[in-house]
Amino acid sequence: MNMVVCVKRVPDTAESEVHIDASGKDIDKSKLSFGINEADNYAVEEAIQIKERLGGTVNVISVGGKDSDEQIRMALAKGGDEAIRIEDPAMAGSDGFAIAKALAAAIKGMEFDIVFTGALADDDGSAVVGVALAELLGVNHAAYVKKVEILEDGKKIKVGRELEGGLMEFLEMELPAVLTIQTGINEPRYASFKGIKQAAKKEIAIKSLSDLGLDASEVGEAGSWAVLEKFTPPVVGEMAEILTGEPEETAAKLAAILKEKGLV
Amino acid sequence: MLFELDEEKTLFRNSVRDFAEQEIRPKVEEMWESGEFPYDIIEKMADMGLMGIPWPEEYGGSGGDELAFAIAVEEIARVDGSCAITLEAHTCLGSAPIYHFGTEEQKREWLVPLAQGKALGAFGLTEPEAGSDAGNTKTNARLEKGQWVINGTKCFITNAGTDISAGVTITVVTGTREDGKKEISNIYVPKGTPGYNIAPKYKKMGWHASDTRELHFDECRVPEGNLIGKRGEGFRQFLKCLDGGRIAIAALAVGTAQGCLEESIRYAKERVQFGQPIGKFQAIQFKLADMATNIELARTFTYKAAALRDAGKPHTKEASMAKLFASEMCMQAAVQAVQIFGGYGYMEEYAVSRFFRDAKILEIGEGTSEVQRLVISRELGL
């Protein structure tokens, strides 16, 4: 099985205070720590497990600056073979569709059976890149995949997709295909010191847009379908009711509301 | 001179941090409450190659160095002291004497399973009447028909009594030197050897889930070949291992203090008194500023000591300085963390109350603060 895994470096905002920066189009990331997008971590593990079972290669791809090498190296340390990082100033302002165009340009020349992405990015939450990538590559896809079974001939797979309410939908599809992976599909391993040492010897190929045969107008804001205008903090809407007063009063009010709505 | 970890060490730190957050953190309270040894966590640490970080790959290790090991101990201590001391004692005390002084055959037989994490290693130095005064060791071994016959008691021994403990290397008196002093040697005793009896776990102030026991040797016989290195070199051997152990304890202290700091910052931002988060008060800010400063200094110097050891340069003084400073600053950080938490800090379910209890032993184990000051003074030529 020849596999490609797309990974994204994202800020960890779970336990941090998030502020909008001066541009109004991004958050201030100067004090945040960064890591691999959670769903991508499961995607990496899925590819490596398949490689361990059936053989083949795992090629890691990321769009981003030099900082992203950390996430790429970690994937290589866990068992990835080769890596590409797409870096070009013109990529700034790209939406998921434009990112997918750059990834597709890098992947289309490769012989691949499965391309893995995370189902959803922790930062923008768009869930666009994987499915757009499948369309651009002209191959099958399944999103929110929580089970992958390679069928005997290695030309088809059976995938389980996670639906609402814990339901699973099973489909069979022909390879090649793009699968966007949902968290919880496996137990991601942790890179060992040995693996990290070996990964240091593997090369990360840096590709610009011209290396990929893309024009600057195809990516960035010009090549995107969605353009980010500005970030604003959530505003208190009409539907929201803010309880005020001493804790005893607000607790009593809250209890009354919950009882009235039949929620307790 | 830029004090920065290279990419390899940075990645390793992040990987161990992820591991500690995902695999250890959810179990910390349960471990504290039950005091049960975390076999599942140790098994996962072994899978990740953490149980043999500094040893070469040919002996089942990860081919890393002391600095990588220190980073791993620090990151695990940031979340849980019991797991950190288990790793520290296993590596610096249980495995190091075999790696540094064992024969090729001993390394193949005893070190490989330790480095792979299939078994846990231990070292027995302290006795009821010999701690800092190791020269007063009473446990003795006499050579009889090709066997060492051992009698005596060791106390406060880490890692000897778990289901996966392989055995223990102990300091024993094997005779009298020409100058009339005791001849001290190190002998390896496999678990299960008749006459080697392991007492129930101590009930400790902190580090509840780590395995600490008293060991009794009663006419315990092991083959003559279980001597580690040469007869009479026991002192020199454990001093060399202790230098490494002290750096690792310094790292354990840095990690514990870092845990205190992070808990305290989070709490200071949440806890409101007099209409604002307590972190807005200088009284709290200054405590946190001091904690952060001391941690940074201890960390930087601990890494320096580890780097000296990795470079094969003298580091006895630096190892003692790192251990002394880091353990004392850690105790202070824990005291201040509990103070910041106020009454909640006195409650067991808060991490800082556990850090507080864990911290004290760092000023005692692997050489008390007083012994460190003695070592440093001697290095100063006094």
Side-chain angles (χ1 to χ4, degrees), chain B residues 238-256:
Chain B
F238 81 68
L239 285 178
K240 173 158 182 183
C241 294
L242 272 186
D243 281 345
R246 283 169 183 168
I247 296 168
I249 294 290
L252 210 163
V254 170
T256 306

Side-chain angles (χ1 to χ4, degrees), chain A residues 248-264:
Chain A
E248 294 79 8
E249 291 172 51
T250 51
K253 282 184 202 167
L254 179 62
I257 292 167
L258 292 174
K259 229 178 239 173
E260 185 194 315
K261 308 254 180 210
L263 294 169
V264 287

Side-chain angles (χ1 to χ4, degrees), chain B residues 282-301:
Chain B
Q282 273 194 344
I284 303 297
Q285 290 173 356
F286 285 10
K287 285 184 200 300
L288 294 168
D290 287 347
M291 274 161 82
T293 304
N294 284 323
I295 291 168
E296 203 55 52
L297 290 171
R299 178 182 289 123
T300 306
F301 193 75

Side-chain angles (χ1 to χ4, degrees), chain A residues 20-38:
Chain A
I20 296 165
D21 74 3
S23 77
K25 291 188 172 191
D26 206 345
I27 56 170
D28 176 8
K29 295 172 183 159
S30 60
K31 290 203 169 63
L32 298 176
S33 60
F34 287 76
I36 187 170
N37 180 48
E38 194 186 2

